[in-house]
Structure formats: structure tokens, C-alpha cells
Amino acid sequence: MKSDPDVKVQMISAEAPILFSKACEVFITEITQRAWMNAEENKRRTLQRQDVSFAAQRSEMFDFLIDVVPREEFASKKSVVREDGSVVAAHPPAISHQPALSVEPQQQPLSAQAVGFSQQPPPQHQQSPPPQQQPAQPQASGLYDPAFQQYYAQHLVEAAGFPQPAGPTPEQRTAYYQQIERSQMQWFQRQPEMGMPQAHLTSSADNPQLLQMHHDSSSDVKPDTDYEDTAKNLKINKDTRVLIQGFTGKQGTFHASQAIAYGTNVIGGVSPKKAGQTHLDKPVFGSVKDAVSQASPDATAIYVPPPFAADAILEAIENEVGLIVAITEGIPQQDMVKVVQALKTQSKSRLVGPNCPGIIAPDACKIGIMPGHIHKRGKIGIVSRSGTLTYEAVNQTTQAGLGQTLCVGIGGDPFNGTNFIDCLKIFLEDPATEGIVMIGEIGGSAEEQAAEFLIENNLSRAQPKPVVS
């Protein structure tokens, strides 16, 4: 039976990559938070180099790099001489079954100094095994070198006071990770000036499923929220209740009036400064929340200027509007990264766009800027990244007497809410859609991915649907 120190060394070795990655996560999160705070103080909506530099200069955890960067020097077996005159050996001490790990550390709050982000050189073992027992020194390969991760994990456990489990049982592993997360939370809670969101301070100790998903790479547990399930929201019809965000603006007014004339069931719009008034004989709400509580929209069209469009999308997501059609062009991509992240955490709202012509079910519902008169109810599903080519495909299928079941302009921006495959799934499952037109655009690999999807899911059908692309 293995001794207690042997078991502990085995556990440290097995969990080294996880411990190392969690320490890196703490460091990167702290730098990112400070950088965004500086950007917001200077009224910038995107990060710039000076923001990151500002964060690094003021980070108490930046000394972490002092222990990491010299690691590259180990590969060439060079000693590193620091400014204070201290010398770091060419290799970190090899991890051996020494009693050092069997000493039970005292519990203490995790701090930047305690995690090992210290300017002091790594501790050296005073005694070495005899030459014949000396393990081979591993060759370094940077941050992803397992030997370095193992060494760092050992140093982290010794310095931070993490509990060392006596054996690899599931209960002990759970307690082990929960203590690590609690220690991280304690550090964040001591940094009130960072403005860390409360969501970042939620321990998985209260959520066993989250803990299992986070730490068990072999787990097949899926979260309850699946954005793919929202693709069904693309199936609009004459009963779809449509809200207009940016209702009283020039673009919102024009396209809302066109939608109403087409027969779309527009139930009102949002304009915070004109709440309580009427516009185009429809009520004006002060917020999406008010509109949802009073009118229960199924979809919303966004005609909000680029600097504020992402916030409008997020407001619709927060209030669980089923379909969000973002017409706005020029939304900063940094803003859209946040929107896409928000979309993937929920299963209620589906985004089309941004920078798109919209979506239309001919003779039933029009949400967007496409000309309604060229559409005709029929049997062809159309999906396109290009706006004008969408109209061309619509016009030709109308003139040929084929008509359309549903037309979706997904937009050409790199970060969007709906792609080709999302729409192709709807078309393949819809019995009324007998053919598909797919129009691509320069840039990206969305067209290639869609082609592979069709090969696997359309050609394998007993009666494949014809596709023109």
C-alpha cells in the first residue's frame, strides 16, 4: 500500500495542469478587468494597447510572469540572473517523493503572494538523491511543459495552503476543487475596485453539475441552455407579434411603416424618451421589459445606431424575446463578441444579423428592409449572406413561378447570430420547402461548412431536396 506522501505526490502530478490553468485564469481575469475599467474611464468601447499596459503596471499579480517567462531559459540550460541579484537555476527542482509534501500546510486566504506570483526564485531542495537515483531532468517547452506545470502545481499547493487529498476519491476531488475556487473568490472579494461581477464570484460548490462539467473533461453532461434549440424561432408567420426597437427614429419609422403596410403584426416600438406616446398609431414603450410585460412580442427588429445596437440586442436577450433581427450595420465587433457570448448562455432568443436585410415569410410577415412586393408565397427556401443578391434570387424565383417559403438574410459580419446551417436545418425539416437557394459571400468558411452539412444531411435522405448555391 502506498504511503501518504506517495499518494499526495501522485495527486499533485495528476492535477498539475488543472491547478496551473486555474492560476493562469485568475491572472488573466484580473488583467482583463483592469484593462476594461481603464477603457471605460476613457470612454472607449474597445480595448487598446494602453489599456492593457495600464492594467499590467497596476496588477499585484503581474509578478506571475517573472516566474513564467524565465522558464524558456531552462531549455538552453542557462541560469537567469534577476535585478535583485538572485539566480534561478537552469531547471526547477525535480518532483520526488520527499516528505516536503507531507507537511500539512495551514489554511490561509489566497493572496497574490501566496499563489506563487512572487519575485523570489523557486525553492530549491537542499538535499539531492544519490546520482544513481537522480531522475532525468525534463526538457522545458514553455508554459505547456507538463514538468513545469507539475512543479508549479506543487509550489502552489505548498504556498497557498490548499488541502491535499489523501486519495483520489470523488468526494475528495470535489472538496479539493471547491477549496481552490473558494480561495480564488476570497482574492477577488478583496479587490472591490475591480468591480468584479457577482456571477464571477459564484462557486461551483453549490452546483455539482457545473463542477462536474468544469473539471471532468470526459463528462458528457450538457448544460440546460442550448442556443441551437432557438432555430425554430425563425419560423415566423402572420400571427408573429413584432416589436420595433428604435421605433421613432428615421429608419425605424420608415421600415416599420413598410412592415405594417405589408401586413406584419407590429404591436409597437421602443423609444425611452417618448414612452407613453403613440407613433404610427402604435404604442411607444420605454423599454423592452415594458413591451414584453404589456404586449408580449414574439420578435423584435432593431434599427438602433451602431454605438448602441449591441445594448439593444442584449436588452432583448435579457427579456427573452424569441426572435431578434438586427438590421444595423457597423456594430463594433468587440461589442458583438459579448453579444454572441450572451446568446450561447441561453435558449430563448434567436438573433438574425447584424448587418442583414432581415427575414420574411412572403404574404405573412416582414421583419427588415427587404422590398415586400418582389416576394411571393411558394416552395423555395432562400438563405443569403448578401443583401442585394437575396433580392435577385427572390425576384427570379418569383418570376419563375416558384415563390418562397422563407427568406433569411443572415448578414456578412464575422460575429452573427444565425448561420447557413441553422437555416438549412429549417428548410430540410419543412415539408413546404421543396428546394433551397443558398448565396455566399467572400470571407470565412461558412459556405464550406454548409456544403459538408448538406452532404451529410441532405444527400442521405430518401429524396434529397435540390440545392442551388
Side-chain angles (χ1 to χ4, degrees), residues 174-216:
T174 299
Y176 192 45
Y177 290 124
Q178 289 175 355
Q179 175 61 26
I180 292 174
E181 292 194 355
R182 281 194 293 268
S183 299
Q184 289 183 353
M185 289 164 59
Q186 291 172 3
W187 187 88
F188 280 125
Q189 289 168 346
R190 292 199 301 274
Q191 309 296 323
E193 71 278 4
M194 289 172 54
M196 180 65 65
Q198 189 64 32
H200 289 263
L201 300 177
T202 301
S203 172
S204 63
D206 299 327
N207 191 337
Q209 183 180 7
L210 178 61
L211 184 71
Q212 175 74 7
M213 291 169 54
H214 186 64
H215 297 298
D216 189 354

Side-chain angles (χ1 to χ4, degrees), residues 138-193:
Q139 293 296 321
S141 60
L143 299 182
Y144 299 100
D145 179 16
F148 175 68
Q149 294 181 355
Q150 183 175 348
Y151 161 71
Y152 185 83
Q154 175 185 354
H155 182 59
L156 178 66
V157 171
E158 291 176 339
F162 290 149
Q164 299 177 6
T169 65
E171 295 77 10
Q172 289 168 334
R173 287 173 61 90
T174 299
Y176 192 45
Y177 290 124
Q178 289 175 355
Q179 175 61 26
I180 292 174
E181 292 194 355
R182 281 194 293 268
S183 299
Q184 289 183 353
M185 289 164 59
Q186 291 172 3
W187 187 88
F188 280 125
Q189 289 168 346
R190 292 199 301 274
Q191 309 296 323
E193 71 278 4

Side-chain angles (χ1 to χ4, degrees), residues 22 36 55 90 131 143 201 207 221 239-240 270 286 297 319 361 364 391 410:
K22 291 188 73 66
W36 270 111
L143 299 182
L201 300 177
N207 191 337
V221 178
D239 297 322
T240 301
V270 175
N319 289 278
Y391 311 149
I410 61 176

Side-chain angles (χ1 to χ4, degrees), residues 5-19 95-97 101 146-147 149-151 153-154 157 173 176:
D6 291 339
V7 174
K8 291 178 179 179
V9 169
Q10 181 183 13
M11 284 298 298
I12 295 299
S13 176
E15 310 303 336
I18 298 177
L19 285 169
I95 297 181
S96 59
H97 297 181
L101 277 178
Q149 294 181 355
Q150 183 175 348
Y151 161 71
Q154 175 185 354
V157 171
R173 287 173 61 90
Y176 192 45

Side-chain angles (χ1 to χ4, degrees), residues 302-317:
I302 295 179
Y303 301 98
V304 176
F308 316 108
D311 291 338
I313 299 173
L314 291 172
E315 184 182 8
I317 295 173

